[in-house]
Amino acid sequence: MKRILIRIVVGLALALAVVYLGDLLVWRVRVGMGGGMGKTQVSRFVVAPLKGNKEEYYFDGTTMVDCSRSLFPQAGSGACWWLERHHVVYER
């Protein structure tokens, strides 16, 4: 039973590595052709800690941020599909 579980975990890790490397390769080709990066609008909030484990939120405005057109975040930018669905960013 333990051997089967180890094989499943190793197989999933290898599958994830193959998907990530494939995504990186496709993204690099897109960047080389001029289409691997995009921009999306996000709303920023700054979170300030207060006494008594409370927090106060300050609206910092909306801004355009760079994003990668890929499954996983690439080049230090979030994936566009994720940022378009989660367009509110909290900075602590």
Side-chain angles (χ1 to χ4, degrees):
M1 185 68 168
K2 185 178 178 182
R3 207 177 326 171
I4 293 172
L5 185 61
I6 290 173
R7 286 185 183 191
I8 289 173
V9 169
V10 169
L12 288 175
L14 286 174
L16 181 64
V18 168
V19 170
Y20 181 78
L21 290 175
D23 182 50
L24 179 64
L25 179 66
V26 170
W27 178 76
R28 293 243 181 208
V29 169
R30 285 184 181 172
V31 168
M33 294 173 31
M37 297 298 286
K39 287 195 176 283
T40 188
Q41 185 174 358
V42 297
S43 299
R44 293 182 179 257
F45 287 88
V46 177
V47 181
L50 300 174
K51 291 182 180 179
N53 291 332
K54 295 181 182 179
E55 297 176 332
E56 190 163 333
Y57 295 85
Y58 297 103
F59 181 66
D60 196 25
T62 57
T63 185
M64 297 295 286
V65 295
D66 292 329
C67 58
S68 64
R69 299 244 174 241
S70 59
L71 293 175
F72 298 99
Q74 304 289 348
S77 300
C80 287
W81 67 269
W82 178 265
L83 287 175
E84 289 169 356
R85 288 170 179 80
H86 302 89
H87 53 86
V88 178
V89 175
Y90 298 100
E91 293 183 19
R92 296 184 185 269

